[in-house]
Amino acid sequence: MNVIFMGTPDYAEKILKRLIDESNINIVGVYTQPDKPVGRKKVMTPPTVKVLAEQNSIKVYQPTRLRDEDTVAQLLRIECDYIVVAAYGQILPREILDHAPCINLHASILPQYRGASPIQQTLLNDDKSTGVTAMLMEEGLDTGDILKIDRVDVPKDMMVETLFDRLTEVAVNLTIDVLENFTKYTPVKQNDDESTHCKKITKQDGEVTFSDAHEIYNKYRAFTPWPGIYLKNGLKLKKIQLEDKCAIHKAGTILEINKDNIVVACEKGSIKIYTVQPQSKKEMDIHSYINGKRLALEDTFL
């Protein structure tokens, strides 16, 4: 079968790799986002999907706007049986949706967490399970009919990178399953009344206060390594654990000083802090930090 693939981040790159490895699938074109400047030196860097495609001599297209007339016309000249979309980053216009069945792999149990950050939202909400949904695309954002959902458990201490890897593995296998058995699945409409949405993550989302320990810990799980979690003064909390979820304290009070951590009170609950990173400095263990600040038991860690 001939397949056009659309995707941009590592999640998409791993799906594409599996499709390339399948002997009965021929990737006839790859669409991905334009190269972007990365790092302090703003070095133009291609998406990982582009790198993989070029390594396998697959034609790559990087339109700024997929809806542009010339871009649509160019895609319609590519004969294909399916279009597979995984975290591409642009909405497909009607002309492309009509060109071939467009199958999207979304990292949530739709209609829950439509939008840009479903994996992080799963951890922010401390969900016990999540999954990957294969759906037929339409012009709305993650609103298409569902073909199949594969579910996974989410342990209470799972971090975003681990969950990302687990869902990527599920998405890879689900993609192959749906392509090979497409005619066996009956599309099921989503219940819009049950839908929830999640936004694109920004650096500002990582700021925390010592209000709710459980909320801080879930942000830590969701936002490590990026954007990380940090206090208003810019101090990054690099490694923490949830100590208690319920006890009522004076926020920021140092409750314990242990061998490799300190316990800091929140208005509700408390957290253990192991390592931190002050602004413009290297990461350090918590004892080096509190000694430098001359902080002791019952002082305020702010």
Side-chain angles (χ1 to χ4, degrees):
M1 71 182 78
N2 291 330
V3 173
I4 292 174
F5 183 83
M6 296 180 167
T8 300
D10 292 348
Y11 170 75
E13 185 259 351
K14 290 179 173 61
I15 296 174
L16 176 60
K17 185 178 187 306
R18 176 65 182 278
L19 292 174
I20 291 171
D21 290 342
E22 290 291 312
S23 59
N24 64 330
I25 294 175
N26 178 37
I27 305 298
V28 293
V30 165
Y31 281 74
T32 189
Q33 295 283 56
D35 298 0
K36 292 185 177 180
V38 174
R40 292 182 179 179
K41 295 185 178 181
K42 303 298 182 182
V43 176
M44 291 302 293
T45 304
T48 56
V49 162
K50 176 182 178 179
V51 174
L52 176 62
E54 291 184 338
Q55 288 172 347
N56 288 272
S57 301
I58 299 171
K59 178 67 175 176
V60 176
Y61 305 88
Q62 295 178 275
T64 302
R65 290 186 74 254
L66 191 62
R67 292 178 175 272
D68 286 348
E69 185 176 332
D70 290 344
T71 298
V72 171
Q74 182 184 57
L75 186 147
L76 296 182
R77 288 194 293 268
I78 304 173
E79 294 185 7
C80 67
D81 299 297
Y82 299 100
I83 298 173
V84 173
V85 184
Y88 174 45
Q90 297 195 47
I91 295 177
L92 277 60
R94 170 53 57 189
E95 298 94 326
I96 292 176
L97 294 172
D98 291 339
H99 183 52
C102 296
I103 302 167
N104 178 238
L105 285 304
H106 187 74
S108 78
I109 300 172
L110 289 173
Q112 186 180 53
Y113 305 153
R114 295 172 176 170
S117 56
I119 300 177
Q120 291 92 336
Q121 199 65 48
T122 292
L123 297 177
L124 290 172
N125 287 353
D126 197 26
D127 293 340
K128 303 302 182 288
S129 65
T130 185
V132 178
T133 301
M135 67 172 180
L136 286 174
M137 295 186 72
E138 59 181 30
E139 291 180 278
L141 179 62
D142 302 324
T143 58
D145 293 353
I146 294 171
L147 295 169
K148 187 181 180 184
I149 298 174
D150 281 349
R151 301 169 186 263
V152 300
D153 294 331
V154 182
K156 63 182 180 179
D157 58 350
M158 180 175 275
M159 302 292 286
V160 69
E161 288 188 319
T162 304
L163 181 55
F164 175 92
D165 289 343
R166 180 72 184 98
L167 291 175
T168 299
E169 178 185 350
V170 170
V172 167
N173 294 325
L174 181 58
T175 303
I176 301 302
D177 179 1
V178 170
L179 287 175
E180 292 181 344
N181 300 287
F182 183 78
T183 58
K184 298 179 182 178
Y185 290 113
T186 301
V188 177
K189 288 191 176 299
Q190 296 187 40
N191 184 347
D192 291 338
D193 293 338
E194 296 178 354
S195 68
T196 58
H197 295 77
C198 50
K199 65 182 184 65
K200 184 177 181 180
I201 303 300
T202 67
K203 185 176 180 180
Q204 289 69 35
D205 290 319
E207 184 175 331
V208 297
T209 62
F210 290 116
S211 55
D212 187 312
H214 196 202
E215 180 180 308
I216 293 174
Y217 184 62
N218 287 336
K219 281 193 172 186
Y220 170 71
R221 295 168 65 204
F223 296 154
T224 301
W226 191 89
I229 60 169
Y230 57 91
L231 303 178
K232 188 173 184 179
N233 64 6
L235 181 70
K236 296 179 180 179
L237 308 182
K238 299 294 287 186
K239 182 181 178 183
I240 70 170
Q241 280 187 347
L242 179 64
E243 173 72 0
D244 175 73
K245 293 194 293 186
C246 301
I248 304 301
H249 302 284
K250 180 182 177 182
T253 304
I254 298 176
L255 300 177
E256 297 178 22
I257 299 178
N258 302 312
K259 182 178 179 180
D260 62 352
N261 67 78
I262 65 171
V263 177
V264 177
C266 300
E267 292 178 16
K268 182 180 179 182
S270 58
I271 59 171
K272 284 183 177 179
I273 303 177
Y274 291 84
T275 59
V276 296
Q277 184 177 3
Q279 279 189 311
S280 304
K281 294 184 179 180
K282 294 182 178 179
E283 183 175 339
M284 63 178 68
D285 67 84
I286 191 60
H287 285 288
S288 297
Y289 179 77
I290 63 172
N291 289 340
K293 294 291 185 179
R294 298 186 178 182
L295 296 173
L297 197 65
E298 298 186 1
D299 284 344
T300 300
F301 184 82
L302 288 174

